[in-house]
Coordinates of all heavy atoms in Angstrom, one line a residue:
T1 N -6.0 16.6 -15.6 CA -6.1 15.3 -16.2 C -5.7 15.4 -17.7 O -6.1 16.3 -18.4 CB -7.6 14.8 -16.1 OG1 -7.9 14.7 -14.7 CG2 -7.6 13.3 -16.7
T2 N -4.9 14.4 -18.1 CA -4.4 14.4 -19.6 C -5.0 13.2 -20.3 O -5.5 12.2 -19.7 CB -2.9 14.4 -19.6 OG1 -2.4 13.1 -19.1 CG2 -2.3 15.5 -18.8
V3 N -4.9 13.2 -21.6 CA -5.3 12.1 -22.4 C -4.5 10.9 -22.0 O -5.0 9.7 -22.0 CB -5.1 12.4 -23.9 CG1 -5.3 11.2 -24.7 CG2 -6.1 13.5 -24.3
D4 N -3.2 11.1 -21.8 CA -2.3 9.9 -21.4 C -2.8 9.3 -20.1 O -2.8 8.0 -19.9 CB -0.8 10.4 -21.2 CG -0.1 10.4 -22.6 OD1 -0.6 9.8 -23.6 OD2 1.0 11.0 -22.6
M5 N -3.3 10.1 -19.1 CA -3.8 9.5 -17.9 C -5.1 8.7 -18.1 O -5.2 7.6 -17.5 CB -4.1 10.7 -16.9 CG -2.9 11.4 -16.3 SD -3.5 12.7 -15.2 CE -2.0 13.2 -14.4
A6 N -5.9 9.1 -19.1 CA -7.1 8.4 -19.4 C -6.7 7.0 -20.0 O -7.4 5.9 -19.7 CB -8.0 9.1 -20.3
Y7 N -5.7 6.9 -20.9 CA -5.3 5.7 -21.5 C -4.4 4.9 -20.6 O -4.2 3.7 -20.8 CB -4.6 6.0 -22.8 CG -5.5 6.3 -24.0 CD1 -5.8 7.5 -24.4 CD2 -6.2 5.2 -24.6 CE1 -6.6 7.8 -25.5 CE2 -7.1 5.5 -25.7 CZ -7.3 6.8 -26.0 OH -8.2 7.0 -27.1
G8 N -3.8 5.6 -19.7 CA -2.7 5.0 -18.8 C -3.2 4.4 -17.5 O -2.4 4.4 -16.5
G9 N -4.4 4.0 -17.4 CA -4.9 3.5 -16.2 C -5.2 4.5 -15.1 O -5.0 4.1 -13.9
M10 N -5.5 5.7 -15.5 CA -5.8 6.8 -14.5 C -4.6 7.1 -13.6 O -4.7 7.6 -12.6 CB -7.0 6.5 -13.7 CG -8.3 6.4 -14.6 SD -9.8 6.4 -13.5 CE -9.7 4.8 -12.7
R11 N -3.4 6.7 -14.1 CA -2.1 6.9 -13.3 C -1.9 8.3 -12.9 O -1.9 9.2 -13.8 CB -1.0 6.4 -14.2 CG 0.4 6.3 -13.4 CD 0.4 5.2 -12.4 NE 0.1 3.9 -12.9 CZ 0.8 3.0 -13.5 NH1 2.1 3.4 -13.6 NH2 0.5 1.8 -13.9
G12 N -1.8 8.6 -11.6 CA -1.5 9.9 -11.1 C -2.8 10.8 -11.0 O -2.5 11.9 -10.5
I13 N -3.9 10.5 -11.3 CA -5.1 11.3 -11.2 C -5.4 11.4 -9.7 O -5.6 10.4 -9.0 CB -6.2 10.8 -12.0 CG1 -6.0 10.9 -13.5 CG2 -7.5 11.5 -11.6 CD1 -7.1 10.3 -14.3
K14 N -5.6 12.6 -9.2 CA -5.9 12.7 -7.8 C -7.5 12.8 -7.8 O -8.1 13.9 -8.0 CB -5.3 14.1 -7.3 CG -3.8 14.0 -7.1 CD -3.3 15.3 -6.7 CE -1.8 15.3 -6.5 NZ -1.1 15.1 -7.8
G15 N -8.1 11.8 -7.4 CA -9.6 11.7 -7.4 C -10.2 10.8 -6.4 O -11.3 10.3 -6.6
L16 N -9.4 10.5 -5.3 CA -9.9 9.5 -4.4 C -9.5 9.9 -3.0 O -8.3 10.3 -2.8 CB -9.3 8.0 -4.7 CG -9.6 6.9 -3.8 CD1 -11.1 6.6 -3.7 CD2 -8.8 5.7 -4.2
V17 N -10.3 9.9 -2.0 CA -10.0 10.1 -0.6 C -9.8 8.8 0.1 O -10.6 7.9 0.2 CB -11.1 10.9 0.1 CG1 -10.8 11.2 1.6 CG2 -11.2 12.3 -0.5
W18 N -8.5 8.7 0.7 CA -8.2 7.5 1.5 C -7.5 8.0 2.8 O -6.4 8.5 2.7 CB -7.3 6.6 0.6 CG -7.0 5.3 1.2 CD1 -6.0 4.9 1.9 CD2 -7.9 4.1 1.1 NE1 -6.1 3.6 2.3 CE2 -7.2 3.0 1.8 CE3 -9.1 3.8 0.5 CZ2 -7.9 1.7 1.8 CZ3 -9.7 2.6 0.4 CH2 -9.0 1.5 1.1
E19 N -8.2 7.9 3.9 CA -7.7 8.5 5.1 C -6.5 7.7 5.8 O -5.7 8.3 6.5 CB -8.8 8.6 6.1 CG -9.9 9.5 5.7 CD -9.6 11.0 5.7 OE1 -8.5 11.3 6.0 OE2 -10.5 11.8 5.3
A20 N -6.4 6.4 5.6 CA -5.5 5.5 6.4 C -4.0 5.8 6.1 O -3.2 5.7 7.0 CB -5.9 4.1 6.2
S21 N -3.8 6.0 4.8 CA -2.3 6.1 4.5 C -2.0 7.0 3.3 O -3.0 7.2 2.5 CB -1.6 4.7 4.3 OG -2.2 4.1 3.1
L22 N -0.9 7.5 3.1 CA -0.5 8.3 2.0 C 1.0 7.8 1.5 O 1.8 7.8 2.3 CB -0.4 9.8 2.4 CG -0.1 10.8 1.3 CD1 -1.2 10.8 0.2 CD2 0.2 12.2 1.8
L23 N 1.0 7.7 0.2 CA 2.3 7.3 -0.5 C 3.0 8.5 -1.2 O 2.4 9.0 -2.1 CB 2.0 6.1 -1.5 CG 3.2 5.5 -2.2 CD1 4.2 4.9 -1.2 CD2 2.7 4.4 -3.2
D24 N 4.2 8.7 -0.7 CA 5.1 9.7 -1.3 C 6.0 9.1 -2.3 O 6.7 8.0 -1.9 CB 5.7 10.5 -0.3 CG 6.6 11.7 -0.9 OD1 6.0 12.8 -1.2 OD2 7.8 11.4 -1.0
A25 N 6.2 9.6 -3.5 CA 7.1 9.0 -4.5 C 8.6 8.9 -4.0 O 9.3 7.9 -4.3 CB 7.1 9.8 -5.7
E26 N 8.9 9.8 -3.2 CA 10.3 9.8 -2.6 C 10.5 9.1 -1.3 O 11.5 8.4 -1.0 CB 10.9 11.2 -2.6 CG 10.9 12.0 -4.0 CD 11.8 11.4 -5.0 OE1 12.9 10.9 -4.6 OE2 11.4 11.4 -6.2
E27 N 9.5 9.4 -0.4 CA 9.7 8.9 0.9 C 9.0 7.6 1.2 O 9.5 6.9 2.1 CB 8.9 10.0 1.9 CG 9.1 9.8 3.3 CD 8.5 10.9 4.2 OE1 7.2 11.0 4.0 OE2 9.1 11.5 5.0
G28 N 8.1 7.2 0.5 CA 7.4 5.9 0.7 C 6.1 6.1 1.5 O 5.6 7.2 1.7
I29 N 5.7 5.0 2.0 CA 4.3 5.0 2.7 C 4.4 5.6 4.1 O 5.4 5.4 4.8 CB 3.8 3.6 2.8 CG1 2.3 3.5 3.1 CG2 4.6 2.7 3.7 CD1 1.4 4.2 2.2
R30 N 3.3 6.3 4.4 CA 3.1 6.8 5.8 C 1.7 6.4 6.3 O 0.8 6.6 5.6 CB 3.3 8.3 5.9 CG 4.7 8.8 6.0 CD 4.8 10.3 6.3 NE 6.2 10.7 6.5 CZ 6.8 10.7 7.7 NH1 6.2 10.3 8.8 NH2 8.1 11.1 7.7
F31 N 1.7 5.6 7.4 CA 0.4 5.2 7.9 C -0.1 6.3 8.9 O 0.5 6.5 9.9 CB 0.5 3.9 8.7 CG 1.1 2.7 7.9 CD1 2.3 2.1 8.2 CD2 0.4 2.3 6.7 CE1 2.8 1.1 7.4 CE2 0.9 1.3 5.9 CZ 2.1 0.7 6.3
Q32 N -1.1 7.0 8.5 CA -1.7 8.1 9.3 C -0.5 9.0 9.7 O -0.6 9.6 10.8 CB -2.5 7.5 10.5 CG -3.8 6.9 10.2 CD -4.9 7.9 9.9 OE1 -4.7 9.0 9.8 NE2 -6.1 7.3 9.9
G33 N 0.4 9.3 8.8 CA 1.5 10.2 9.0 C 2.8 9.6 9.6 O 3.8 10.3 9.7
Y34 N 2.7 8.4 10.0 CA 3.8 7.7 10.6 C 4.5 6.8 9.5 O 4.0 6.0 8.9 CB 3.5 6.8 11.8 CG 3.0 7.7 12.9 CD1 1.6 8.0 13.0 CD2 3.8 8.1 13.9 CE1 1.1 8.7 14.2 CE2 3.4 8.9 15.0 CZ 2.0 9.1 15.1 OH 1.5 9.9 16.2
S35 N 5.9 7.0 9.5 CA 6.7 6.2 8.5 C 6.8 4.7 9.1 O 6.5 4.5 10.3 CB 8.1 6.7 8.3 OG 8.8 6.7 9.5

C-alpha cells in the first residue's frame, strides 16, 4: 500500500474478498471464471 493509494480512493489495494466475479485489466470481467 502506498501513500498515493490512501489519497487516491484506495485504488488498486487488494483488501476485499468477492467470490462472484473478477475483473482483469486486460481481459475484462469474468463471472465465476466465465467470460
Side-chain angles (χ1 to χ4, degrees):
T1 302
T2 65
V3 171
D4 277 343
M5 286 177 169
Y7 281 102
M10 299 191 290
R11 188 70 53 89
I13 294 176
K14 295 178 178 67
L16 175 64
V17 175
W18 191 263
E19 299 288 1
S21 65
L22 183 68
L23 179 59
D24 181 83
E26 301 295 325
E27 188 181 53
I29 193 67
R30 279 188 175 269
F31 302 121
Q32 289 278 13
Y34 293 93
S35 68

